[in-house]
Amino acid sequence: MIKLLPTKHLLLISGISALLAIVLIALPDEETIDNNLISLEANFEVIDQSQLMLQDLQKLTPKSSTIPLTTFSPNNTNSTYDIPAPDALVKKSSPATFKEQSVEVKSGDSLSKLLANEGISAQDIYKVSLADKKQKTLLQMRPGQTINFTTNEASGELTQLTLILNRLDSVTFERNDDKFNRTEASRTPEVVQAYKEAEINNSLFVDGLRSGIDQPLLIELANIFGWDIDFALDIRKGDSLSMLYEEKYLDGEKIGHGNIIAAQFINNGRTYQAIRYQTEKGANYYTPDGLAMRKAFIRTPVDFTRISSKFNPNRLHPIFKTSRPHRGVDYAAASGTPVKAAGDGKISFAGKQNGYGNVVIIDHGKGYQTLYAHLKGFSKGTKRGARVQQGNIIAYVGQTGWATGPHLHYEFRINGTHKNPVTVKLPNDDPMPKNDLKNYLPYAKQVVATLSNSHSPSFAQKLASLKE
Ligand SMILES: [Zn+2]
């Protein structure tokens, strides 16, 4: 996609530009400029027709702000300089003609490859990247993004470059003498509150999508309530959901959604409500009473294909064929699958332990410990004493130590006693900080009321009948 000014206009503008250039170089002040503009008469119509382009030209010509382009006076005849006729100028190429172009970033493109293809000098490419040295935005450009750039047609010099990152963000490099100035621009979408409801007959996803709820929103919803409801096993016909969330608009067009503000899920007659609230610890979901929706631990610290060995205190060991308790659960997963910290805590061990191979142990406080074994390797920062947060990737699945295939051996200990990680009752995360609770409670009450006032009459009727 290449955008060019119409050739005819370019030529005419070249003429004017050439004149201006000469005037700028040769003449000391405004008055003399006016005196010499008489020979521009032939081009006056063009100036009117291409007002917009001239304005652009003014912007691009560094000293143009001091030139009264609109006050050219054809009546002044005291020309003291010998200026060539416009016709002669049109034929000469001019240094002040600019070409705007646009290229799409393709897979495998780098800034230098892309711009070199467009005829930009290595020197200019270097200067632009120098302006981006700290932020490295240009190094991270991705296929599908667009680069708009302007060159001086005569010299080929790059004058401006803009990388359009997405519909909202762009970064611009503007030439200033021998270097480029970098500026970022962001558009802010309009955020409006929206409401959705769904009755569940098959599954959260089937019925959610049928009710016009985007899949990403359904995933978020499943994450919010996933601590209490197993969406694969617990769902019953007659369950229902409703939620208030943010929709984002740009130029009147919906471009996506923001956060879920509040949501309600009724599962098997039991009502769960979650409200998003920002505390000093970050934004989280809480019950209307201020209890954390999330638990202090995620149930399964790895995306696994199957449980290859259950928690079993009286198991026959697969290699030694002797009675050996299996004090954890084995999650079979491909070698290299990330292993997450089950909860916030501090790493108390990261290294080799005989049959366990590479092991990480996390101390979570209050007597809780988790252990991860047979790891292929650790992620950066996984070392004794390091603090981790729930969900941080700490290591990767492997089969180090005594293992018959790649899997994660996972143990959950409370005060030194091994518990079954699959069934152990997980403690709730810390409740809302006391300082925030005072403001949160009335807010929660109001949001829950807004949510239930948003219910459609039939939906409200159904909920009412459930309660009877
Ligand atoms: Zn095991």
PDB file of all heavy atoms in Angstrom, residues 259-289:
ATOM      1  N   ASN A 259     -13.095  -5.395  32.106  1.00  0.00           N
ATOM      2  CA  ASN A 259     -13.219  -6.321  33.230  1.00  0.00           C
ATOM      3  C   ASN A 259     -14.664  -6.736  33.483  1.00  0.00           C
ATOM      4  O   ASN A 259     -15.591  -6.021  33.140  1.00  0.00           O
ATOM      5  CB  ASN A 259     -12.695  -5.646  34.496  1.00  0.00           C
ATOM      6  CG  ASN A 259     -11.231  -5.297  34.372  1.00  0.00           C
ATOM      7  OD1 ASN A 259     -10.423  -6.142  33.985  1.00  0.00           O
ATOM      8  ND2 ASN A 259     -10.903  -4.060  34.667  1.00  0.00           N
ATOM      9  N   ILE A 260     -14.812  -7.885  34.113  1.00  0.00           N
ATOM     10  CA  ILE A 260     -16.104  -8.255  34.682  1.00  0.00           C
ATOM     11  C   ILE A 260     -16.212  -7.477  35.990  1.00  0.00           C
ATOM     12  O   ILE A 260     -15.337  -7.561  36.850  1.00  0.00           O
ATOM     13  CB  ILE A 260     -16.191  -9.777  34.922  1.00  0.00           C
ATOM     14  CG1 ILE A 260     -16.196 -10.514  33.574  1.00  0.00           C
ATOM     15  CG2 ILE A 260     -17.436 -10.122  35.748  1.00  0.00           C
ATOM     16  CD1 ILE A 260     -16.194 -12.029  33.677  1.00  0.00           C
ATOM     17  N   ILE A 261     -17.279  -6.678  36.120  1.00  0.00           N
ATOM     18  CA  ILE A 261     -17.439  -5.817  37.296  1.00  0.00           C
ATOM     19  C   ILE A 261     -18.037  -6.621  38.456  1.00  0.00           C
ATOM     20  O   ILE A 261     -17.588  -6.525  39.589  1.00  0.00           O
ATOM     21  CB  ILE A 261     -18.353  -4.613  36.952  1.00  0.00           C
ATOM     22  CG1 ILE A 261     -17.711  -3.786  35.830  1.00  0.00           C
ATOM     23  CG2 ILE A 261     -18.619  -3.752  38.189  1.00  0.00           C
ATOM     24  CD1 ILE A 261     -18.689  -2.856  35.120  1.00  0.00           C
ATOM     25  N   ALA A 262     -19.060  -7.404  38.109  1.00  0.00           N
ATOM     26  CA  ALA A 262     -19.699  -8.255  39.114  1.00  0.00           C
ATOM     27  C   ALA A 262     -20.383  -9.400  38.387  1.00  0.00           C
ATOM     28  O   ALA A 262     -20.829  -9.237  37.257  1.00  0.00           O
ATOM     29  CB  ALA A 262     -20.723  -7.470  39.924  1.00  0.00           C
ATOM     30  N   ALA A 263     -20.432 -10.550  39.024  1.00  0.00           N
ATOM     31  CA  ALA A 263     -21.072 -11.692  38.384  1.00  0.00           C
ATOM     32  C   ALA A 263     -21.740 -12.570  39.421  1.00  0.00           C
ATOM     33  O   ALA A 263     -21.360 -12.583  40.590  1.00  0.00           O
ATOM     34  CB  ALA A 263     -20.041 -12.507  37.606  1.00  0.00           C
ATOM     35  N   GLN A 264     -22.762 -13.284  38.940  1.00  0.00           N
ATOM     36  CA  GLN A 264     -23.485 -14.213  39.815  1.00  0.00           C
ATOM     37  C   GLN A 264     -23.644 -15.533  39.087  1.00  0.00           C
ATOM     38  O   GLN A 264     -23.956 -15.552  37.891  1.00  0.00           O
ATOM     39  CB  GLN A 264     -24.862 -13.620  40.144  1.00  0.00           C
ATOM     40  CG  GLN A 264     -25.785 -14.572  40.876  1.00  0.00           C
ATOM     41  CD  GLN A 264     -27.112 -13.901  41.228  1.00  0.00           C
ATOM     42  OE1 GLN A 264     -27.156 -13.001  42.055  1.00  0.00           O
ATOM     43  NE2 GLN A 264     -28.178 -14.338  40.585  1.00  0.00           N
ATOM     44  N   PHE A 265     -23.383 -16.620  39.788  1.00  0.00           N
ATOM     45  CA  PHE A 265     -23.601 -17.933  39.197  1.00  0.00           C
ATOM     46  C   PHE A 265     -24.408 -18.757  40.190  1.00  0.00           C
ATOM     47  O   PHE A 265     -24.048 -18.868  41.358  1.00  0.00           O
ATOM     48  CB  PHE A 265     -22.262 -18.626  38.891  1.00  0.00           C
ATOM     49  CG  PHE A 265     -22.403 -19.739  37.890  1.00  0.00           C
ATOM     50  CD1 PHE A 265     -22.123 -19.521  36.559  1.00  0.00           C
ATOM     51  CD2 PHE A 265     -22.865 -20.991  38.289  1.00  0.00           C
ATOM     52  CE1 PHE A 265     -22.286 -20.536  35.615  1.00  0.00           C
ATOM     53  CE2 PHE A 265     -23.035 -22.011  37.356  1.00  0.00           C
ATOM     54  CZ  PHE A 265     -22.738 -21.791  36.024  1.00  0.00           C
ATOM     55  N   ILE A 266     -25.532 -19.299  39.703  1.00  0.00           N
ATOM     56  CA  ILE A 266     -26.322 -20.170  40.563  1.00  0.00           C
ATOM     57  C   ILE A 266     -26.077 -21.599  40.102  1.00  0.00           C
ATOM     58  O   ILE A 266     -26.366 -21.948  38.952  1.00  0.00           O
ATOM     59  CB  ILE A 266     -27.818 -19.800  40.521  1.00  0.00           C
ATOM     60  CG1 ILE A 266     -27.973 -18.367  41.051  1.00  0.00           C
ATOM     61  CG2 ILE A 266     -28.640 -20.781  41.357  1.00  0.00           C
ATOM     62  CD1 ILE A 266     -29.387 -17.855  41.073  1.00  0.00           C
ATOM     63  N   ASN A 267     -25.451 -22.386  40.981  1.00  0.00           N
ATOM     64  CA  ASN A 267     -25.101 -23.763  40.649  1.00  0.00           C
ATOM     65  C   ASN A 267     -25.816 -24.708  41.608  1.00  0.00           C
ATOM     66  O   ASN A 267     -25.604 -24.646  42.814  1.00  0.00           O
ATOM     67  CB  ASN A 267     -23.577 -23.936  40.758  1.00  0.00           C
ATOM     68  CG  ASN A 267     -23.135 -25.386  40.601  1.00  0.00           C
ATOM     69  OD1 ASN A 267     -22.440 -25.931  41.448  1.00  0.00           O
ATOM     70  ND2 ASN A 267     -23.557 -26.016  39.518  1.00  0.00           N
ATOM     71  N   ASN A 268     -26.660 -25.553  41.017  1.00  0.00           N
ATOM     72  CA  ASN A 268     -27.349 -26.564  41.816  1.00  0.00           C
ATOM     73  C   ASN A 268     -28.085 -25.925  42.994  1.00  0.00           C
ATOM     74  O   ASN A 268     -28.060 -26.427  44.108  1.00  0.00           O
ATOM     75  CB  ASN A 268     -26.300 -27.589  42.316  1.00  0.00           C
ATOM     76  CG  ASN A 268     -26.922 -28.953  42.532  1.00  0.00           C
ATOM     77  OD1 ASN A 268     -28.107 -29.173  42.202  1.00  0.00           O
ATOM     78  ND2 ASN A 268     -26.162 -29.863  43.089  1.00  0.00           N
ATOM     79  N   GLY A 269     -28.697 -24.742  42.728  1.00  0.00           N
ATOM     80  CA  GLY A 269     -29.493 -24.056  43.733  1.00  0.00           C
ATOM     81  C   GLY A 269     -28.695 -23.165  44.666  1.00  0.00           C
ATOM     82  O   GLY A 269     -29.257 -22.434  45.479  1.00  0.00           O
ATOM     83  N   ARG A 270     -27.366 -23.199  44.544  1.00  0.00           N
ATOM     84  CA  ARG A 270     -26.550 -22.384  45.440  1.00  0.00           C
ATOM     85  C   ARG A 270     -26.037 -21.150  44.693  1.00  0.00           C
ATOM     86  O   ARG A 270     -25.586 -21.240  43.561  1.00  0.00           O
ATOM     87  CB  ARG A 270     -25.368 -23.232  45.926  1.00  0.00           C
ATOM     88  CG  ARG A 270     -24.750 -22.613  47.134  1.00  0.00           C
ATOM     89  CD  ARG A 270     -23.753 -23.526  47.806  1.00  0.00           C
ATOM     90  NE  ARG A 270     -22.903 -22.660  48.625  1.00  0.00           N
ATOM     91  CZ  ARG A 270     -21.752 -23.029  49.128  1.00  0.00           C
ATOM     92  NH1 ARG A 270     -21.306 -24.233  48.927  1.00  0.00           N
ATOM     93  NH2 ARG A 270     -21.048 -22.186  49.855  1.00  0.00           N
ATOM     94  N   THR A 271     -26.162 -19.984  45.347  1.00  0.00           N
ATOM     95  CA  THR A 271     -25.799 -18.726  44.685  1.00  0.00           C
ATOM     96  C   THR A 271     -24.374 -18.292  45.053  1.00  0.00           C
ATOM     97  O   THR A 271     -24.027 -18.239  46.232  1.00  0.00           O
ATOM     98  CB  THR A 271     -26.779 -17.602  45.099  1.00  0.00           C
ATOM     99  OG1 THR A 271     -28.103 -18.003  44.747  1.00  0.00           O
ATOM    100  CG2 THR A 271     -26.447 -16.297  44.393  1.00  0.00           C
ATOM    101  N   TYR A 272     -23.587 -18.031  44.014  1.00  0.00           N
ATOM    102  CA  TYR A 272     -22.240 -17.479  44.204  1.00  0.00           C
ATOM    103  C   TYR A 272     -22.207 -16.091  43.578  1.00  0.00           C
ATOM    104  O   TYR A 272     -22.669 -15.899  42.459  1.00  0.00           O
ATOM    105  CB  TYR A 272     -21.188 -18.356  43.509  1.00  0.00           C
ATOM    106  CG  TYR A 272     -21.128 -19.765  44.039  1.00  0.00           C
ATOM    107  CD1 TYR A 272     -21.949 -20.760  43.511  1.00  0.00           C
ATOM    108  CD2 TYR A 272     -20.250 -20.113  45.065  1.00  0.00           C
ATOM    109  CE1 TYR A 272     -21.894 -22.064  43.980  1.00  0.00           C
ATOM    110  CE2 TYR A 272     -20.193 -21.413  45.548  1.00  0.00           C
ATOM    111  CZ  TYR A 272     -21.019 -22.385  45.002  1.00  0.00           C
ATOM    112  OH  TYR A 272     -20.967 -23.662  45.490  1.00  0.00           O
ATOM    113  N   GLN A 273     -21.683 -15.114  44.323  1.00  0.00           N
ATOM    114  CA  GLN A 273     -21.563 -13.759  43.788  1.00  0.00           C
ATOM    115  C   GLN A 273     -20.131 -13.273  43.942  1.00  0.00           C
ATOM    116  O   GLN A 273     -19.495 -13.518  44.967  1.00  0.00           O
ATOM    117  CB  GLN A 273     -22.513 -12.800  44.519  1.00  0.00           C
ATOM    118  CG  GLN A 273     -23.975 -13.072  44.183  1.00  0.00           C
ATOM    119  CD  GLN A 273     -24.926 -12.261  45.034  1.00  0.00           C
ATOM    120  OE1 GLN A 273     -24.660 -12.013  46.214  1.00  0.00           O
ATOM    121  NE2 GLN A 273     -26.047 -11.854  44.459  1.00  0.00           N
ATOM    122  N   ALA A 274     -19.640 -12.604  42.905  1.00  0.00           N
ATOM    123  CA  ALA A 274     -18.262 -12.112  42.934  1.00  0.00           C
ATOM    124  C   ALA A 274     -18.239 -10.671  42.463  1.00  0.00           C
ATOM    125  O   ALA A 274     -18.910 -10.311  41.495  1.00  0.00           O
ATOM    126  CB  ALA A 274     -17.386 -12.970  42.039  1.00  0.00           C
ATOM    127  N   ILE A 275     -17.468  -9.836  43.147  1.00  0.00           N
ATOM    128  CA  ILE A 275     -17.367  -8.417  42.804  1.00  0.00           C
ATOM    129  C   ILE A 275     -15.890  -8.050  42.694  1.00  0.00           C
ATOM    130  O   ILE A 275     -15.094  -8.378  43.582  1.00  0.00           O
ATOM    131  CB  ILE A 275     -18.053  -7.541  43.878  1.00  0.00           C
ATOM    132  CG1 ILE A 275     -19.552  -7.874  43.901  1.00  0.00           C
ATOM    133  CG2 ILE A 275     -17.836  -6.060  43.620  1.00  0.00           C
ATOM    134  CD1 ILE A 275     -20.114  -7.975  45.280  1.00  0.00           C
ATOM    135  N   ARG A 276     -15.559  -7.389  41.609  1.00  0.00           N
ATOM    136  CA  ARG A 276     -14.164  -6.966  41.420  1.00  0.00           C
ATOM    137  C   ARG A 276     -13.894  -5.721  42.252  1.00  0.00           C
ATOM    138  O   ARG A 276     -14.683  -4.778  42.241  1.00  0.00           O
ATOM    139  CB  ARG A 276     -13.933  -6.653  39.945  1.00  0.00           C
ATOM    140  CG  ARG A 276     -12.507  -6.275  39.613  1.00  0.00           C
ATOM    141  CD  ARG A 276     -12.422  -5.833  38.162  1.00  0.00           C
ATOM    142  NE  ARG A 276     -11.163  -5.195  37.893  1.00  0.00           N
ATOM    143  CZ  ARG A 276     -10.070  -5.836  37.533  1.00  0.00           C
ATOM    144  NH1 ARG A 276     -10.092  -7.138  37.376  1.00  0.00           N
ATOM    145  NH2 ARG A 276      -8.952  -5.181  37.309  1.00  0.00           N
ATOM    146  N   TYR A 277     -12.779  -5.732  42.967  1.00  0.00           N
ATOM    147  CA  TYR A 277     -12.444  -4.563  43.776  1.00  0.00           C
ATOM    148  C   TYR A 277     -10.933  -4.389  43.855  1.00  0.00           C
ATOM    149  O   TYR A 277     -10.185  -5.348  43.999  1.00  0.00           O
ATOM    150  CB  TYR A 277     -13.034  -4.703  45.180  1.00  0.00           C
ATOM    151  CG  TYR A 277     -13.149  -3.388  45.914  1.00  0.00           C
ATOM    152  CD1 TYR A 277     -14.072  -2.428  45.513  1.00  0.00           C
ATOM    153  CD2 TYR A 277     -12.331  -3.103  47.009  1.00  0.00           C
ATOM    154  CE1 TYR A 277     -14.183  -1.216  46.184  1.00  0.00           C
ATOM    155  CE2 TYR A 277     -12.438  -1.896  47.687  1.00  0.00           C
ATOM    156  CZ  TYR A 277     -13.365  -0.951  47.268  1.00  0.00           C
ATOM    157  OH  TYR A 277     -13.467   0.245  47.941  1.00  0.00           O
ATOM    158  N   GLN A 278     -10.537  -3.126  43.752  1.00  0.00           N
ATOM    159  CA  GLN A 278      -9.119  -2.774  43.785  1.00  0.00           C
ATOM    160  C   GLN A 278      -8.721  -2.446  45.210  1.00  0.00           C
ATOM    161  O   GLN A 278      -9.269  -1.521  45.805  1.00  0.00           O
ATOM    162  CB  GLN A 278      -8.893  -1.566  42.865  1.00  0.00           C
ATOM    163  CG  GLN A 278      -7.481  -1.064  42.804  1.00  0.00           C
ATOM    164  CD  GLN A 278      -6.665  -1.745  41.717  1.00  0.00           C
ATOM    165  OE1 GLN A 278      -7.205  -2.102  40.664  1.00  0.00           O
ATOM    166  NE2 GLN A 278      -5.380  -1.938  41.961  1.00  0.00           N
ATOM    167  N   THR A 279      -7.781  -3.207  45.752  1.00  0.00           N
ATOM    168  CA  THR A 279      -7.245  -2.875  47.073  1.00  0.00           C
ATOM    169  C   THR A 279      -5.769  -2.574  46.912  1.00  0.00           C
ATOM    170  O   THR A 279      -5.234  -2.635  45.809  1.00  0.00           O
ATOM    171  CB  THR A 279      -7.400  -4.058  48.056  1.00  0.00           C
ATOM    172  OG1 THR A 279      -6.493  -5.080  47.667  1.00  0.00           O
ATOM    173  CG2 THR A 279      -8.820  -4.584  48.076  1.00  0.00           C
ATOM    174  N   GLU A 280      -5.115  -2.295  48.038  1.00  0.00           N
ATOM    175  CA  GLU A 280      -3.681  -2.018  47.964  1.00  0.00           C
ATOM    176  C   GLU A 280      -2.913  -3.236  47.446  1.00  0.00           C
ATOM    177  O   GLU A 280      -1.801  -3.112  46.949  1.00  0.00           O
ATOM    178  CB  GLU A 280      -3.167  -1.587  49.344  1.00  0.00           C
ATOM    179  CG  GLU A 280      -3.376  -2.639  50.421  1.00  0.00           C
ATOM    180  CD  GLU A 280      -3.473  -2.046  51.827  1.00  0.00           C
ATOM    181  OE1 GLU A 280      -3.629  -0.817  51.947  1.00  0.00           O
ATOM    182  OE2 GLU A 280      -3.395  -2.822  52.784  1.00  0.00           O
ATOM    183  N   LYS A 281      -3.515  -4.417  47.528  1.00  0.00           N
ATOM    184  CA  LYS A 281      -2.862  -5.637  47.052  1.00  0.00           C
ATOM    185  C   LYS A 281      -3.155  -5.917  45.571  1.00  0.00           C
ATOM    186  O   LYS A 281      -2.743  -6.930  45.034  1.00  0.00           O
ATOM    187  CB  LYS A 281      -3.341  -6.838  47.885  1.00  0.00           C
ATOM    188  CG  LYS A 281      -2.764  -6.866  49.287  1.00  0.00           C
ATOM    189  CD  LYS A 281      -3.338  -8.018  50.088  1.00  0.00           C
ATOM    190  CE  LYS A 281      -2.713  -9.346  49.671  1.00  0.00           C
ATOM    191  NZ  LYS A 281      -3.382 -10.480  50.353  1.00  0.00           N
ATOM    192  N   GLY A 282      -3.909  -5.015  44.927  1.00  0.00           N
ATOM    193  CA  GLY A 282      -4.258  -5.234  43.520  1.00  0.00           C
ATOM    194  C   GLY A 282      -5.742  -5.490  43.370  1.00  0.00           C
ATOM    195  O   GLY A 282      -6.480  -5.484  44.354  1.00  0.00           O
ATOM    196  N   ALA A 283      -6.191  -5.725  42.124  1.00  0.00           N
ATOM    197  CA  ALA A 283      -7.610  -5.961  41.879  1.00  0.00           C
ATOM    198  C   ALA A 283      -7.901  -7.447  42.017  1.00  0.00           C
ATOM    199  O   ALA A 283      -7.183  -8.279  41.471  1.00  0.00           O
ATOM    200  CB  ALA A 283      -7.987  -5.471  40.491  1.00  0.00           C
ATOM    201  N   ASN A 284      -8.931  -7.757  42.785  1.00  0.00           N
ATOM    202  CA  ASN A 284      -9.325  -9.155  42.962  1.00  0.00           C
ATOM    203  C   ASN A 284     -10.834  -9.252  43.074  1.00  0.00           C
ATOM    204  O   ASN A 284     -11.519  -8.240  43.192  1.00  0.00           O
ATOM    205  CB  ASN A 284      -8.683  -9.717  44.234  1.00  0.00           C
ATOM    206  CG  ASN A 284      -7.287 -10.256  43.974  1.00  0.00           C
ATOM    207  OD1 ASN A 284      -7.102 -11.111  43.104  1.00  0.00           O
ATOM    208  ND2 ASN A 284      -6.306  -9.747  44.708  1.00  0.00           N
ATOM    209  N   TYR A 285     -11.325 -10.490  43.047  1.00  0.00           N
ATOM    210  CA  TYR A 285     -12.763 -10.725  43.192  1.00  0.00           C
ATOM    211  C   TYR A 285     -13.066 -11.193  44.612  1.00  0.00           C
ATOM    212  O   TYR A 285     -12.356 -12.028  45.162  1.00  0.00           O
ATOM    213  CB  TYR A 285     -13.249 -11.730  42.161  1.00  0.00           C
ATOM    214  CG  TYR A 285     -13.272 -11.114  40.777  1.00  0.00           C
ATOM    215  CD1 TYR A 285     -12.155 -11.176  39.953  1.00  0.00           C
ATOM    216  CD2 TYR A 285     -14.392 -10.409  40.331  1.00  0.00           C
ATOM    217  CE1 TYR A 285     -12.160 -10.563  38.698  1.00  0.00           C
ATOM    218  CE2 TYR A 285     -14.408  -9.795  39.092  1.00  0.00           C
ATOM    219  CZ  TYR A 285     -13.284  -9.875  38.278  1.00  0.00           C
ATOM    220  OH  TYR A 285     -13.289  -9.261  37.058  1.00  0.00           O
ATOM    221  N   TYR A 286     -14.145 -10.588  45.152  1.00  0.00           N
ATOM    222  CA  TYR A 286     -14.535 -10.884  46.527  1.00  0.00           C
ATOM    223  C   TYR A 286     -16.021 -11.221  46.584  1.00  0.00           C
ATOM    224  O   TYR A 286     -16.796 -10.810  45.714  1.00  0.00           O
ATOM    225  CB  TYR A 286     -14.257  -9.677  47.434  1.00  0.00           C
ATOM    226  CG  TYR A 286     -12.794  -9.329  47.541  1.00  0.00           C
ATOM    227  CD1 TYR A 286     -12.199  -8.436  46.661  1.00  0.00           C
ATOM    228  CD2 TYR A 286     -11.998  -9.930  48.526  1.00  0.00           C
ATOM    229  CE1 TYR A 286     -10.848  -8.133  46.754  1.00  0.00           C
ATOM    230  CE2 TYR A 286     -10.642  -9.623  48.625  1.00  0.00           C
ATOM    231  CZ  TYR A 286     -10.072  -8.727  47.735  1.00  0.00           C
ATOM    232  OH  TYR A 286      -8.737  -8.432  47.823  1.00  0.00           O
ATOM    233  N   THR A 287     -16.391 -11.934  47.640  1.00  0.00           N
ATOM    234  CA  THR A 287     -17.813 -12.150  47.899  1.00  0.00           C
ATOM    235  C   THR A 287     -18.378 -10.809  48.397  1.00  0.00           C
ATOM    236  O   THR A 287     -17.616  -9.924  48.795  1.00  0.00           O
ATOM    237  CB  THR A 287     -18.020 -13.217  49.003  1.00  0.00           C
ATOM    238  OG1 THR A 287     -17.516 -12.667  50.240  1.00  0.00           O
ATOM    239  CG2 THR A 287     -17.278 -14.500  48.679  1.00  0.00           C
ATOM    240  N   PRO A 288     -19.715 -10.657  48.423  1.00  0.00           N
ATOM    241  CA  PRO A 288     -20.284  -9.396  48.922  1.00  0.00           C
ATOM    242  C   PRO A 288     -19.850  -9.085  50.363  1.00  0.00           C
ATOM    243  O   PRO A 288     -19.872  -7.934  50.784  1.00  0.00           O
ATOM    244  CB  PRO A 288     -21.795  -9.622  48.831  1.00  0.00           C
ATOM    245  CG  PRO A 288     -21.958 -10.619  47.736  1.00  0.00           C
ATOM    246  CD  PRO A 288     -20.761 -11.531  47.848  1.00  0.00           C
ATOM    247  N   ASP A 289     -19.410 -10.113  51.105  1.00  0.00           N
ATOM    248  CA  ASP A 289     -18.937  -9.892  52.476  1.00  0.00           C
ATOM    249  C   ASP A 289     -17.461  -9.539  52.555  1.00  0.00           C
ATOM    250  O   ASP A 289     -16.936  -9.287  53.645  1.00  0.00           O
ATOM    251  CB  ASP A 289     -19.159 -11.155  53.325  1.00  0.00           C
ATOM    252  CG  ASP A 289     -20.623 -11.517  53.425  1.00  0.00           C
ATOM    253  OD1 ASP A 289     -21.452 -10.581  53.379  1.00  0.00           O
ATOM    254  OD2 ASP A 289     -20.930 -12.720  53.528  1.00  0.00           O
TER     255      ASP A 289
END
